[in-house]
């Protein structure tokens, strides 16, 4: 599970496009069975899920109460 923050450029001009860049830090590895059932199902189907809001169940598991502006959780299925 990765906690990511989008770094938005402060300026832009009509001739140049400045791309936003995400920086991510690992928030640990969790067993698929520990995740909420609907999230685990989506993860199994897609291999990756991006969340912009944290449910109460996921908050208890990860310790992340809420996401700030420009933050998101990226959950990737790892194979052993």
């Amino acid at each position: 599970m990765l906690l990511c923050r989008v770094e938005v450029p402060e300026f832009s001009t009509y001739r140049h496009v400045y791309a936003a860049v995400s920086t991510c830090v690992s928030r640990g590895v969790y067993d698929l069975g520990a995740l909420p059932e609907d999230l685990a199902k989506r993860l199994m189907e897609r291999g990756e899920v991006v969340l912009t809001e944290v449910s109460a169940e996921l908050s208890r598991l990860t310790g992340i109460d809420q996401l700030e502006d420009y933050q998101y959780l990226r959950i990737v299925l790892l194979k052993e």
Side-chain angles (χ1 to χ4, degrees):
M1 184 171 304
L2 302 166
L3 178 61
C4 302
R5 175 180 292 281
V6 178
E7 303 294 332
V8 180
E10 293 183 20
F11 55 89
S12 182
T13 66
Y14 69 94
R15 288 186 177 182
H16 297 68
V17 176
Y18 296 94
V21 175
S22 290
T23 55
C24 301
V25 293
S26 176
R27 289 300 300 236
V29 177
Y30 297 90
D31 186 86
L32 192 59
L35 296 175
E37 189 176 326
D38 61 325
L39 178 58
K41 182 179 177 185
R42 285 188 290 159
L43 192 55
M44 289 294 292
E45 290 172 355
R46 301 177 188 162
E48 179 178 355
V49 176
V50 173
L51 301 174
T52 56
E53 294 181 359
V54 180
S55 68
E57 190 176 357
L58 190 58
S59 177
R60 282 190 297 276
L61 177 67
T62 62
I64 300 171
D65 294 327
Q66 64 182 9
L67 298 173
E68 298 175 9
D69 290 340
Y70 302 108
Q71 280 188 328
Y72 60 94
L73 279 178
R74 182 173 172 237
I75 305 171
V76 180
L77 186 62
L78 299 175
K79 295 182 183 180
E80 293 185 347

